[in-house]
Amino acid sequence: MPSLLLQSALPALAQPTIVTVAVGYFLVVAAIAVWATRRMRSASDFFVAGAGVGLFTLAIAKTAATLSGFAFIGGPGLVYTIGIGAVMIILPGALTNSLGAWVLAKKMRLLGEVRGLMTVPDAIGARYRSRAAQGLSAVAILIAVVGYMATNLLALGLVIDAVFSTGLGAGIWMGAAIILAYSVAGGILAGLYTDVFQGSVMAAASLVVFGFAMKSGGGLGHISHTIMAADATYLGPWGTIGPMAAISYFFVFSMGSLGQPHVIHKFYMLRDPRQLKWYPVLMTIALAAMVLLYISVGLAVKALVVQGALPPLTSADHATPTFLLHYAPSMVAGLVFSGVIAAIMATVNSFISVGAAALTHDLPKAFGRPVTNELFVGRLTTVGLTVAAAAVAQVSGTLVAFLGIFGWGLFASTIVPALAIGLNWDGATRAGAIASIATGLVVTLLGETLRYFTVYSLPVGVTVSGLSLVASLLVFFAVSLLTRANAAQEIDSDIRVVMDA
Amino acid sequence: MKRILLACVVASCVLAGAGYAGVIVSTHSPVWAPWCLAMGANGAVMSLMALGASRRGTLAPALRWTFLGVFVLCAVSFGAALAMPANEGAAAPLLFGFPERTAILLYGVGVVPMFILPFAYALTFDASTLSADDLARVRAAHHALSPDERV
C-alpha cells in the first residue's frame, strides 16, 4: 500500500489571500460546532447523531470522510509518480457506492432501527450473538484508528505549517485542538455538519482546479501526447507499477470499501431508511466531483515537468501545491488548501467517533461491563485518543508512516467478511466470523511489519492488504462451511427479520 | 438463486486468491495471475452486489440483467487492457483523451457503471429493496417480539 497521506513538508503557502481564506474556513467550522453542540443531548447524539440525519447530509459527509486529504495531496502525487496505476485506487468508486447500498445500507440502517445499534462491532456482535466477535473487531478498529489518526494529524500539521508558518509541532497540536473542540463538544453531530460544509468546499475546489489543470496542459489529449513522448508506460492501463499491483489496488479499494467503519457506521444515522433510494446517485455525483482534482493535477504536473515548464518535484506531495502556486489564482489555492484541511479534519473527526465508540461502548460490552454514562466517558476517550494520536504524530514520523499504511487493509480484512457477507448469508457462523477477523489482524500486522522492516515484501508490488483481505474471506467461507450445523440457530429472530427484509 | 450467487462470491475469492498465490510462489509473475485477480475482483464485487440485492431467494429480472451486463462490461474492459498489445508511444492514437487500452479500462470500469448502477438501485428500490410496506413489516415484526427476543 502507498502511504495515503503526505508526510513531507509542503512549499510555503503563507500568502495573504490563502491565509484569509483558511481563517474564514476555520471560523465557519467554529460556528457549525457551536450550533451542533447546542443540539446534543445523549450518547446516541454523540455517536450516531440521534439517527436523525437527512440523505444529502449523509452523502456529503460520507464522501468527505472517505476521501480524506489523500484526494487532494497524496493522490495527485501518486498519479504524478506512478501514472494511471494510481487511478486504480479511485476507479472502484463507480461501483462501490452501489455495492455499499445493496450489501450494507438497508441492513445496517434497519439494525439501528430494531436494536438501536451505534457501532460496526455492535452489528457484528448482534449478527453472531457473540461478544468475542464484537470485541475482536473493536480491537482491530482501535489499532487502525490510532494509526490513521496519527497519519492524518501529521498531514494536518504539515498543511497548517505551510499555510500559517507555525512550525510542524505547533501545526499538529493546533489542528488536534480544533478538531477536539468540536468533537468533544458536538460529537459526530458537529462532525457531520462540518463535513457537509467541508465536502462542499472539497467538491467546489476539485471542479475549479480540474478546469485550471486542463487549461494549463492544453487539454487532456495534449497532456497525454506530451507524457507519452517521454514515458510510454506511464499512461498505460497499469501505469509504472504493472498489472498485478494495479489490479490489487482495485480489489482492495472496491471490496475494502465495505469495511471502513468511519464510513459505514453513518448508515445508522439516516433519519428515514426509505431515503436510501437516491443514496448511490448522490454519493456517486459527490465522489465523481471530488476525484477530478486527483487525476487532473497529477497528469497536468507530469506533462508540465516533461515540457520543462515546471522543475521535477523533490517530493510527490508537492504536486498539488506546486501546481496551485504556479497555475491557479491564490483565491483558488486558498480554497483548495481549506479543502485539504477540511478533508483531513472530516476524516479525523470520523475516526475519533469510531475509536471512542470502540473504547467506550464495544470493548466494555465485549467484557460484559457496559459503561453507564457513555456520553461523559465518550468525551473523555475522545480527548485521550486525540492527544495520543497527536503525540505519536509528533514524536515519530516513521512510526506514523508505518501505522498509517495498513489502516484501510486492516479495516477491510477484519470487517468485510464478518459484516458485509455475514449480513447477507445466513450460513455464516460465529466461528467463521471470529476466525476471519483473527486472520485479517494477523496477516495484515505480520505482513506489514515484515515489509516495513524489509524482511519480506510481496513480489511485483502486490499489497499485503489484498492478500490479507482474500485470506480472511477464504477463511470465513471455509470455517463457516465446516461449522454450519448450527448456523441458523445463531441468529436472533429480530436480526433474521432484518436480514430477510 | 442465493446459493448460486454465494457460490459465485466464493469462486471469485478463490480466483483472486489464486492470482495472489501465483505471484507469491513463483519466482516471476505468471501471465495468468493478473487475469485471475482481475476476474476474481470483478466477480466478487458484482456477485456480492447481487447477493445483497437478492430477496427471499430471488433476484429481480431487471437487476439480474443489470449485474450480468456490468460484470461483462468490466470483464471485457479488464480483459482488453490485459490482452491488447501495448501501444502507448508518442504517436499512439487516443480514445477520449487517453491511449486506447487505458481508455477502455477507465471508461469501461470507472465511468459507464456510474450511469447504470446508481440508477438501477433507485429505479428498483420500491419494488426490490425497501417499500413502505416492507418497512412497516420490519417494524411490526420487531414490535411483535418479546422483550427478551429483542435483546
Side-chain angles (χ1 to χ4, degrees):
Chain A
M1 291 280 284
S3 171
L4 295 185
L5 276 173
L6 68 160
Q7 284 151 13
S8 61
L10 297 174
L13 305 165
Q15 298 175 4
T17 311
I18 295 177
V19 172
T20 305
V21 173
V23 168
Y25 162 77
F26 281 124
L27 289 176
V28 174
V29 168
I32 293 171
V34 170
W35 171 80
T37 303
R38 288 180 177 170
R39 288 184 56 186
M40 210 185 45
R41 301 280 180 274
S42 66
S44 172
D45 290 338
F46 194 76
F47 290 121
V48 290
V53 174
L55 179 65
F56 180 79
T57 305
L58 184 85
I60 301 290
K62 274 170 70 79
T63 310
T66 303
L67 286 178
S68 181
F70 175 66
F72 284 8
I73 300 285
L78 202 59
V79 172
Y80 169 79
T81 310
I82 65 173
I84 295 296
V87 178
M88 297 298 275
I89 291 173
I90 54 165
L91 201 66
L95 308 169
T96 51
N97 295 313
S98 304
L99 177 68
W102 267 304
V103 173
L104 281 178
K106 177 181 75 175
K107 293 180 174 77
M108 292 283 286
R109 178 57 187 80
L110 293 180
L111 278 177
E113 180 108 13
V114 302
R115 287 274 181 116
L117 304 185
M118 295 197 291
T119 67
V120 167
D122 257 348
I124 292 174
R127 162 63 182 83
Y128 301 99
R129 209 191 294 147
S130 167
R131 292 197 312 207
Q134 178 165 6
L136 203 53
S137 58
V139 168
I141 285 172
L142 209 49
I143 292 171
V145 157
V146 171
Y148 252 147
M149 279 179 61
T151 317
N152 276 275
L153 286 174
L154 176 60
L156 186 58
L158 287 164
V159 178
I160 290 177
D161 177 33
V163 175
F164 296 105
S165 304
T166 57
L168 177 59
I172 290 172
W173 288 101
M174 274 177 63
I178 293 166
I179 298 171
L180 252 185
Y182 73 78
S183 299
V184 171
I188 198 70
L189 198 62
L192 269 174
Y193 287 101
T194 52
D195 282 0
V196 172
F197 167 65
Q198 290 163 337
S200 307
V201 170
M202 289 164 69
S206 182
L207 287 168
V208 171
V209 173
F210 174 74
F212 281 105
M214 288 298 106
K215 188 180 164 195
S216 71
L220 184 57
H222 191 256
I223 289 172
S224 291
H225 277 305
T226 304
I227 295 172
M228 287 194 298
D231 185 349
T233 58
Y234 182 90
L235 280 185
W238 324 115
T240 60
I241 57 174
M244 201 62 201
I247 300 168
S248 194
Y249 281 164
F250 178 84
F251 178 58
V252 171
F253 284 91
S254 56
M255 290 291 280
S257 68
L258 295 171
Q260 304 306 307
H262 58 297
V263 179
I264 57 178
H265 87 132
K266 288 190 168 69
F267 287 129
Y268 291 136
M269 302 171 191
L270 188 64
R271 189 184 309 127
D272 176 5
R274 298 252 306 134
Q275 286 186 320
L276 283 169
K277 180 173 183 174
W278 294 103
Y279 162 80
V281 173
L282 266 180
M283 282 290 289
T284 303
I285 292 170
L287 194 68
M290 290 189 207
V291 300
L292 285 175
L293 186 151
Y294 178 108
I295 304 172
S296 61
V297 168
L299 294 179
V301 170
K302 177 73 176 178
L304 292 165
V305 168
V306 169
Q307 286 171 343
L310 283 177
L313 303 183
T314 52
S315 160
D317 288 337
H318 292 184
T320 301
T322 303
F323 176 80
L324 293 173
L325 290 174
H326 287 86
Y327 292 95
S330 49
M331 176 66 97
V332 174
L335 188 67
V336 173
F337 284 106
S338 298
V340 172
I341 294 170
I344 297 172
M345 288 172 62
T347 306
V348 173
N349 172 265
S350 293
F351 282 133
I352 287 175
S353 175
V354 166
L359 275 172
T360 309
H361 180 81
D362 296 312
L363 286 174
K365 212 169 155 186
F367 286 111
R369 293 176 178 275
V371 171
T372 47
N373 188 347
E374 284 191 356
L375 178 57
F376 176 70
V377 181
R379 283 178 158 149
L380 280 185
T381 50
T382 295
V383 175
L385 266 176
T386 310
V387 169
V392 171
Q394 190 178 16
V395 169
S396 172
T398 53
L399 178 62
V400 167
F402 174 58
L403 291 172
I405 282 168
F406 60 69
W408 182 282
L410 191 57
F411 284 146
S413 60
T414 54
I415 293 174
V416 171
L419 185 70
I421 297 177
L423 284 179
N424 291 283
W425 176 36
D426 59 7
T429 66
R430 186 181 302 151
I434 292 171
S436 77
I437 297 169
T439 302
L441 259 172
V442 170
V443 175
T444 306
L445 294 178
L446 187 66
E448 293 291 5
T449 304
L450 292 176
R451 194 193 61 78
Y452 182 74
F453 290 106
T454 64
V455 176
Y456 175 75
S457 287
L458 293 171
V460 294
V462 167
T463 60
V464 172
S465 305
L467 183 67
S468 63
L469 176 57
V470 84
S472 69
L473 283 164
L474 293 175
V475 165
F476 176 72
F477 287 124
V479 175
S480 290
L481 289 171
L482 289 172
T483 57
R484 64 183 161 176
N486 298 317
Q489 286 77 49
E490 288 178 5
I491 304 174
D492 285 329
S493 39
D494 57 340
I495 304 298
R496 165 84 59 191
V497 167
V498 169
M499 288 176 67
D500 292 341
Chain B
M1 175 58 79
K2 209 152 188 168
R3 290 172 74 93
I4 295 170
L5 292 171
L6 191 71
C8 290
V9 178
V10 175
S12 300
C13 292
V14 170
L15 203 56
Y20 281 116
V23 294
I24 291 170
V25 299
S26 89
T27 51
H28 62 287
S29 179
V31 175
W32 52 264
W35 280 90
C36 283
L37 185 55
M39 298 307 148
N42 178 28
V45 169
M46 294 313 303
S47 52
L48 188 53
M49 211 182 289
L51 184 67
S54 68
R55 298 176 78 202
R56 300 174 195 106
T58 63
L59 188 59
L63 289 178
R64 202 176 298 172
W65 290 109
T66 301
F67 294 136
L68 186 62
V70 176
F71 169 77
V72 170
L73 172 71
C74 293
V76 168
S77 302
F78 272 116
L82 284 164
M84 285 168 68
N87 179 25
E88 282 92 34
L94 298 182
L95 187 62
F96 300 114
F98 287 107
E100 286 172 346
R101 290 195 307 158
T102 306
I104 290 170
L105 183 68
L106 295 189
Y107 295 119
V109 178
V111 177
V112 177
M114 275 199 300
F115 295 98
I116 300 173
L117 294 172
F119 292 100
Y121 183 84
L123 295 174
T124 59
F125 186 85
D126 293 332
S128 303
T129 302
L130 188 68
S131 66
D133 288 345
D134 294 329
L135 187 57
R137 263 196 297 276
V138 170
R139 286 172 174 163
H142 169 62
H143 287 121
L145 297 172
S146 70
D148 282 349
E149 284 175 314
R150 283 185 212 167
V151 183

